Amino acid sequence: EAGAYDEVVPTAEAALEEADLSRDERDQLENTLAWALLHVEEAERAVDLAAGVVARTARVSTHRAYTLGTYGAALVAAGRHGEALALLGDEAERGVAALDDAWAVSAQRYYRAVALAALGRHDEALVTWRAARDVDPTGLYGQRAEARLRQIERAGPYRGAT
């Protein structure tokens, strides 16, 4: 999955060191870097960076929903599913919905479903993957959610221990 994210990481790091950025611009760039890091298997580094951005981002900022989503996705990638659910909850959902960004809504729902499934909350995960798919069926996370749903469908219902 790394692909283009391999290129984003050094580019963003260089820009952060070299550019004369406002606090808002720096936060946006750090959020982008954290998103890229979680996709190149540097989840803990992504968590640390995203946590800092969330701590600095005001609740009324238009970027708040994106930063919560990045932080939550990084926590999922780091295997910290319970913490991720707290971030990918109502505030993040309302935030991206208000921005009218189907890709971001789908991504947040997708990562929320992954966290739910990892915590054994499979019925909620299924509902959330469906919601991720339905909001952006042709987008990356809508397609990933659809793939998860097909995988679960092929596996059949859980029958319990025998």
Side-chain angles (χ1 to χ4, degrees):
E1 170 176 353
Y5 291 112
D6 285 328
E7 297 173 21
V8 171
V9 171
T11 303
E13 289 173 331
L16 284 167
E17 287 184 23
E18 297 170 8
D20 182 25
L21 303 169
S22 70
R23 179 77 263 164
D24 190 50
E25 291 168 330
R26 180 167 294 280
D27 285 344
Q28 288 180 54
L29 188 52
E30 286 182 1
N31 191 61
T32 298
L33 176 56
W35 186 260
L37 287 168
L38 79 93
H39 290 90
V40 297
E41 298 183 15
E42 291 192 48
E44 287 301 332
R45 193 169 155 217
V47 167
D48 292 343
L49 194 58
V53 175
V54 167
R56 289 186 306 273
T57 305
R59 290 200 179 276
V60 295
S61 167
T62 57
H63 305 292
R64 176 83 175 172
Y66 292 117
T67 61
L68 288 172
T70 298
Y71 189 19
L75 288 165
V76 169
R80 295 162 59 180
H81 302 105
E83 292 173 75
L85 281 181
L87 288 169
L88 297 173
D90 293 339
E91 180 185 355
E93 177 79 18
R94 282 191 310 272
V96 289
L99 296 173
D100 195 29
D101 185 341
W103 182 90
V105 173
S106 183
Q108 285 190 10
R109 288 177 180 172
Y110 175 84
Y111 281 107
R112 181 172 173 77
V114 171
L116 287 163
L119 294 170
R121 294 166 61 179
H122 300 290
D123 290 342
E124 291 172 84
L126 287 171
V127 168
T128 307
W129 272 316
R130 286 184 189 114
R133 176 200 58 200
D134 293 348
V135 75
D136 192 18
T138 61
L140 176 64
Y141 290 96
Q143 291 177 355
R144 286 184 180 178
E146 176 63 27
R148 288 278 184 128
L149 290 165
R150 280 194 309 263
Q151 180 182 28
I152 292 164
E153 190 176 277
R154 282 192 304 271
Y158 175 69
R159 302 282 183 212
T162 55

